[in-house]
Amino acid sequence: MARLLVLRSAPYHRSSLSAAAAATSSRSASFPRLSRRHLPSLLRVPVRAVESSSGATKQEEAPLAAGEAQEPLPAAPAFVVEELGWGTQLAVKLKMLVAPPWKRVRKGSVLTMTLRGEISDQLKTRFSSGLSLPQICENFEKAAYDPRISGIYLHIEPLSCGWGKAEEIRRHIVDFKKSGKFVVGYMPVGGEKEYYLASACAELYAPPSAYVALYGLTIQQTFLRGVLEKVGVQPEIQRIGRYKSAGDQLGRKSMSNEVKEMLGALLDNIYGNWLDTVSSTHGKKKEEIEEFVNSGVYQVERLKKEGWITDLLYDDQVMTMLKERVGQNDKKSLRMIDYSKYSRVRKSTLGIGGGGDLIAVIRASGSITRTRSGLSVSSSGIIAEQLIKKIRTVRESEKYKAVILRIDSPGGDALASDLMWREIRLLAESKPVVASMSDVAASGGYYMAMAAPVIVAEKLTLTGSIGVITGKFILQKLYERIDFNKEILSRGRYAELNAADQRLLRPDEAELFEKSAQNAYASFRDKAAMSRSMSIDQMETVAQGRVWSGQDAASRGLVDSLGGFSQALAIAKQRAKIPQDKKVRLVEISKASPTLPEILSGIGGSILGVDRVVKGVLQDVTSLNGVQARMDGILFERLENMPGENQLFLLVKEITNYFG
């Protein structure tokens, strides 16, 4: 009888931190335990600093729980292989026999997955379009020990996700190979990010006419200030933080020196990590890989010759090869199961479902708003009032032993971020909370994460950006140009501060406008200092709106550990006093039910002919009303692979929404 093996995911953990990071990790991994007497202080904004006996300013802290500060974060190998007992093996076979038709998998099947376009960090319903990172990773894990799956055939095409998700997927490819099953990659089109994933496959094929361009990496910023001036629009932007680039595309004509420094450091991190990973994969020196890239690689034949890909084959040729490998020469076509169908197979069917203690998973993905807008759908971002309800439900329940807060957000409304920060702090008083950050957890996204006792990030997660932005448009010249008149009657010295767009701000209004933004920044910075057990002066050196990579954030005390979801799970187990080898059941708190638009979209591909990308833009763009804790760049990232006409169309849409 064939034996079934369980490949249990164990957390990824960096081998070491710098001395400074290690010291920070041991300090900030613990969370200030708050008694009732400390709760009123949380309501004061900003958090106040107090004077020490030496006269130096220090951050007011609640006492730590005994022993927590010295407890090291867990580290474990990527995979632990266990043999299932005979009883479990029998149960698995019976479950497979009685599985409904839509969940059945024929023996000897090859799992096929196409990684292309956007990848959401949220779980998807069966009617939702697009890819889901949790489901991609779970499919790798299930296939690793599913006796019906012979291997994986992975199509990799242009991706719109960030480097954090790419790292998570790559780790799962590497882990899957430890099962002894094959994983074959096929890449007809791709650049550095796609090759980063593809290079983890045991074999990589491309068609002879493939478009594979490895030229290096770029970061771009677009500036509209000159365009707005030509049409008579004057942006009045308050960016608090020397590195805060949100609003620059409206308020500046060129990149500031501080932003160049910040983006240059991020680019160095991403490119350096890419060179390190690819050189390690090929067993070459980093300098050799960089020299190869700098030589201008565009001929796919050269990639084969240099060993970057296995061979040049068309898709049908690869499938014919796989038929021979799995012993299906007598079959007309390769026996396959696709990503969508395999996502319906439950882990419990394979004998690897969790049991025992429950750990809640709360996912927060997208731009942050306080309430649902008219354009919102269930998957259109983080709606604070809804997420707070879920947080309170988990806090009030005694069945959850710990919580993993999974964040993938560039930020948004500062007030909404603060309200969620408060609820996460209260949640952490009742049970262990670990924040796990995906592609980005910056500005409002980091605001949420810093409320957790422990923060885990990928090496290339974009994080930090502790700063705020607010602004309005002065349309005086535009109104004069089109002979439009607007008059306002008001009572109160500053009543027209947000209403009057037909004139310049008075000096006293401009002063109040700036002070309001400064106050919001001080609140954010001071709470970050308290949350991370730093002095305000220490926090100021890493704040100022600067975006850090996960690895740089770790060395500066903004992040406690590097890794993905499995690393966060290991830490959650540790904090909940659950043995690492004990199974737990993950409960997805934020799993959404399909809405009618999603069902129609999944069936018909579009609703009323409205383009999916345009709908996404309309939902993501936030007006400048109110204070925003937002990182720049997410919207314009989407324009990379779109025709020029659509770029112009979306640009007009964006300006229109800002005006609205």
Side-chain angles (χ1 to χ4, degrees):
M1 180 175 67
R3 291 182 174 180
L4 296 177
L5 296 179
V6 171
L7 303 179
R8 186 176 71 248
S9 290
Y12 166 87
H13 194 78
R14 54 191 167 142
S15 58
S16 64
L17 284 174
S18 65
T24 300
S25 180
S26 65
R27 178 194 72 243
S28 57
S30 298
F31 189 76
R33 304 286 288 189
L34 301 176
S35 63
R36 289 183 181 178
R37 67 186 177 88
H38 291 106
L39 292 181
S41 67
L42 288 178
L43 300 176
R44 294 195 290 266
V45 180
V47 177
R48 295 180 181 177
V50 297
E51 293 293 320
S52 68
S53 57
S54 63
T57 301
K58 66 179 182 179
Q59 185 65 38
E60 182 180 14
E61 295 181 15
L64 297 174
E68 282 192 350
Q70 290 75 34
E71 189 176 18
L73 298 180
F79 268 102
V80 177
V81 182
E82 292 180 344
E83 185 176 346
L84 287 174
W86 68 268
T88 306
Q89 292 185 45
L90 179 61
V92 168
K93 288 184 176 291
L94 289 174
K95 287 180 180 180
M96 290 178 179
L97 286 173
V98 300
W102 56 89
K103 291 184 180 180
R104 289 180 186 170
V105 181
R106 293 183 296 173
K107 188 174 181 180
S109 293
V110 174
L111 172 61
T112 63
M113 292 194 288
T114 300
L115 303 181
R116 175 175 56 212
E118 294 182 15
I119 299 177
S120 171
D121 207 72
Q122 294 278 22
L123 287 169
K124 297 279 191 177
T125 68
R126 62 180 299 181
F127 297 103
S128 301
S129 59
L131 296 169
S132 162
L133 180 66
Q135 288 164 339
I136 291 171
C137 295
E138 185 176 281
N139 279 354
F140 275 108
E141 295 173 9
K142 290 185 298 186
Y145 43 76
D146 191 334
R148 303 165 297 179
I149 298 295
S150 298
I152 294 179
Y153 184 29
L154 198 63
H155 278 237
I156 300 172
E157 298 196 26
L159 296 164
S160 297
C161 69
W163 288 92
K165 292 191 183 78
E167 182 71 24
E168 184 97 46
I169 296 171
R170 193 179 198 281
R171 188 180 304 120
H172 277 76
I173 296 174
V174 172
D175 290 349
F176 175 82
K177 292 193 294 185
K178 297 177 183 179
S179 68
K181 299 179 181 182
F182 65 81
V183 53
V184 172
Y186 184 75
M187 187 174 68
V189 181
E192 283 74 15
K193 188 179 296 180
E194 291 72 31
Y195 188 79
Y196 185 76
L197 287 183
S199 64
C201 298
E203 303 168 46
L204 175 61
Y205 298 92
S209 55
Y211 296 134
V212 181
L214 303 177
Y215 298 146
L217 300 174
T218 63
I219 293 180
Q220 302 179 42
Q221 269 202 310
T222 307
F223 301 94
L224 299 175
R225 180 63 183 259
V227 176
L228 295 177
E229 287 181 353
K230 288 184 181 300
V231 296
V233 176
Q234 179 178 329
E236 195 72 47
I237 307 293
Q238 285 294 334
R239 295 180 305 116
I240 309 302
R242 292 187 299 121
Y243 297 94
K244 194 70 177 176
S245 62
D248 276 6
Q249 73 270 32
L250 299 175
R252 292 182 59 91
K253 294 182 179 181
S254 62
M255 197 180 296
S256 69
N257 291 332
E258 291 84 359
V259 171
K260 285 181 181 179
E261 175 192 344
M262 177 182 71
L263 296 182
L266 289 172
L267 195 57
D268 287 340
N269 271 264
I270 297 170
Y271 191 48
N273 181 74
W274 188 86
L275 291 172
D276 288 340
T277 302
V278 174
S279 61
S280 176
T281 300
H282 290 290
K284 296 183 178 181
K285 294 180 179 180
K286 181 178 177 179
E287 292 74 18
E288 293 180 83
I289 299 298
E290 189 168 18
E291 183 180 351
F292 182 72
V293 171
N294 288 338
S295 67
V297 183
Y298 64 93
Q299 310 100 320
V300 69
E301 295 86 358
R302 188 178 169 197
L303 291 172
K304 175 188 173 183
K305 181 180 178 181
E306 297 285 342
W308 286 58
I309 61 176
T310 307
D311 203 355
L312 301 179
L313 297 175
Y314 288 103
D315 184 32
D316 65 290
Q317 293 174 306
V318 177
M319 288 193 288
T320 299
M321 179 194 70
L322 293 179
K323 277 177 57 180
E324 296 175 359
R325 184 171 302 182
V326 299
Q328 296 178 15
N329 284 330
D330 58 332
K331 304 294 182 181
K332 185 176 180 180
S333 59
L334 179 66
R335 186 172 292 168
M336 297 183 294
I337 181 169
D338 64 19
Y339 160 86
S340 180
K341 183 175 181 180
Y342 197 65
S343 295
R344 301 174 200 167
V345 175
R346 295 183 181 274
K347 295 176 73 172
S348 58
T349 301
L350 303 167
I352 57 169
D357 294 320
L358 304 183
I359 293 181
V361 180
I362 301 176
R363 297 184 184 273
S365 182
S367 296
I368 297 171
T369 56
R370 192 172 63 86
T371 59
R372 182 185 293 276
S373 69
L375 286 169
S376 297
V377 295
S378 65
S379 57
S380 64
I382 303 169
I383 301 172
E385 64 178 7
Q386 294 183 350
L387 192 69
I388 286 172
K389 288 180 181 179
K390 293 170 184 175
I391 293 171
R392 288 176 177 172
T393 298
V394 173
R395 175 162 59 92
E396 293 165 2
S397 174
E398 296 183 358
K399 64 182 180 180
Y400 301 112
K401 301 299 182 183
V403 181
I404 297 175
L405 178 65
R406 178 72 173 180
I407 300 174
D408 187 30
S409 171
D413 186 274
L415 171 60
S417 303
D418 184 65
L419 297 177
M420 291 186 291
W421 174 87
R422 164 72 176 179
E423 293 296 330
I424 297 165
R425 294 274 299 188
L426 293 175
L427 175 64
E429 286 190 78
S430 64
K431 46 182 61 75
V433 179
V434 179
S436 171
M437 307 196 298
S438 183
D439 277 343
V440 57
S443 291
Y446 185 76
Y447 208 132
M448 297 173 62
M450 72 189 192
V454 185
I455 301 177
V456 181
E458 296 285 1
K459 289 184 292 183
L460 299 179
T461 297
L462 300 180
T463 190
S465 192
I466 300 169
V468 299
I469 174 179
T470 187
K472 61 177 295 182
F473 285 99
I474 306 300
L475 306 179
Q476 180 181 10
K477 292 183 180 179
L478 175 63
Y479 288 170
E480 291 173 355
R481 192 167 294 175
I482 61 176
D483 200 19
F484 177 82
N485 185 39
K486 179 178 180 179
E487 295 185 5
I488 300 175
L489 299 178
S490 62
R491 299 293 184 273
R493 180 177 179 181
Y494 297 107
E496 297 183 12
L497 181 63
N498 294 318
D501 57 7
Q502 83 285 7
R503 62 172 175 81
L504 295 174
L505 292 177
R506 300 191 312 262
D508 59 330
E509 290 175 324
E511 181 181 1
L512 182 65
F513 196 57
E514 181 180 358
K515 284 182 176 179
S516 174
Q518 289 283 4
N519 181 69
Y521 170 70
S523 174
F524 189 174
R525 178 203 59 202
D526 294 356
K527 288 182 178 179
M530 181 186 70
S531 299
R532 300 303 298 165
S533 300
M534 294 182 184
S535 70
I536 292 175
D537 288 343
Q538 287 174 320
M539 179 53 66
E540 186 70 16
T541 64
V542 295
Q544 291 287 333
R546 178 153 185 169
V547 181
W548 304 95
S549 67
Q551 58 188 4
D552 282 350
S555 67
R556 289 162 174 82
L558 297 176
V559 166
D560 300 301
S561 184
L562 297 179
F565 186 88
S566 58
Q567 174 69 6
L569 176 58
I571 296 172
K573 281 182 165 183
Q574 179 198 53
R575 294 305 171 96
K577 309 301 181 186
I578 301 172
Q580 291 296 324
D581 58 353
K582 184 178 179 181
K583 289 183 178 181
V584 295
R585 184 155 68 91
L586 301 178
V587 181
E588 294 281 352
I589 303 299
S590 47
K591 186 175 182 179
S593 301
T595 61
L596 179 59
E598 287 178 324
I599 295 174
L600 294 175
S601 182
I603 296 173
S606 62
I607 304 174
L608 303 177
V610 181
D611 184 82
R612 179 180 59 85
V613 177
V614 175
K615 288 189 294 179
V617 170
L618 292 174
Q619 291 165 2
D620 284 351
V621 171
T622 303
S623 72
L624 289 175
N625 291 328
V627 178
Q628 294 287 308
R630 171 182 292 276
M631 188 192 77
D632 202 7
I634 299 301
L635 177 64
F636 282 88
E637 224 172 75
R638 295 187 178 175
L639 305 183
E640 291 176 353
N641 301 315
M642 300 183 66
E645 297 84 353
N646 283 346
Q647 292 187 28
L648 181 60
F649 175 72
L650 293 186
L651 199 60
V652 171
K653 285 286 185 183
E654 184 192 10
I655 295 175
T656 302
N657 275 271
Y658 272 119
F659 285 179

